[in-house]
């Protein structure tokens, strides 16, 4: 179990994960602005434990993906991706016990050319 917290501490979550197996960045229009390094779990393995009322939801384009951030400090905490809303992507930078600068093998998700945008 890992603990996630935004910068100000208003929002906290517990993630049922030990090793971060999938580590990625994404080049879509929102992720390139956030610049976060992310990992992903099933929704049932991600529980907000504090500050659910402080979370702000941001949606754009197809409005399927749900991008959440703390309304106090502005930090991106997690999202439900469009490709699979049953999963929760989260900000590895919000894990105190993980140094995102030490991570190797960071995959680049090609969100810029999203498969659901292809005709
Ligand atoms: Zn915060």
């Amino acid at each position: 179990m890992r603990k996630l917290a935004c910068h100000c501490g208003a929002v906290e979550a517990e993630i049922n994960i030990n090793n971060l197996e999938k580590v990625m960045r994404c080049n879509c229009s929102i992720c390139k602005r956030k610049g976060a390094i992310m990992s992903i779990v099933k929704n049932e393995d991600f529980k907000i434990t504090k500050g659910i009322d402080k979370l702000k939801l941001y949606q754009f384009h197809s409005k399927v993906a749900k991008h959440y951030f703390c309304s106090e400090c502005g930090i991106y905490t997690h999202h439900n991706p469009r490709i699979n809303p049953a999963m929760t992507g989260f900000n590895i930078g919000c894990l105190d016990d993980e140094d995102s600068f030490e991570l190797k093998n960071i995959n680049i998700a090609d969100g810029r050319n999203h498969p659901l945008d292809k005709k």
Side-chain angles (χ1 to χ4, degrees), residues 88-118:
T88 300
F90 58 91
N91 185 352
I92 292 175
C94 290
L95 307 181
D96 273 341
D97 58 355
E98 194 71 44
D99 184 350
S100 55
F101 290 88
E102 292 295 321
L103 292 168
K104 307 279 186 273
N105 302 318
I106 298 171
N107 297 296
I108 306 292
D110 192 14
R112 184 187 294 161
N113 300 299
H114 199 285
L116 295 180
D117 285 333
K118 293 201 174 116

Side-chain angles (χ1 to χ4, degrees), residues 39-103:
S39 188
I40 195 158
V41 292
K42 292 179 187 158
N43 286 349
E44 56 263 37
D45 289 327
F46 187 95
K47 290 269 179 300
I48 297 293
T49 53
K50 186 182 165 194
I52 199 157
D53 57 318
K54 298 286 183 187
L55 282 171
K56 179 112 169 71
L57 170 65
Y58 176 67
Q59 293 185 286
F60 65 101
H61 188 41
S62 65
K63 302 206 171 153
V64 176
K66 294 179 174 175
H67 301 273
Y68 292 97
F69 62 95
C70 172
S71 59
E72 295 287 333
C73 65
I75 295 298
Y76 152 68
T77 51
H78 67 291
H79 73 286
N80 300 112
R82 189 177 161 198
I83 195 88
N84 188 353
M87 303 291 284
T88 300
F90 58 91
N91 185 352
I92 292 175
C94 290
L95 307 181
D96 273 341
D97 58 355
E98 194 71 44
D99 184 350
S100 55
F101 290 88
E102 292 295 321
L103 292 168

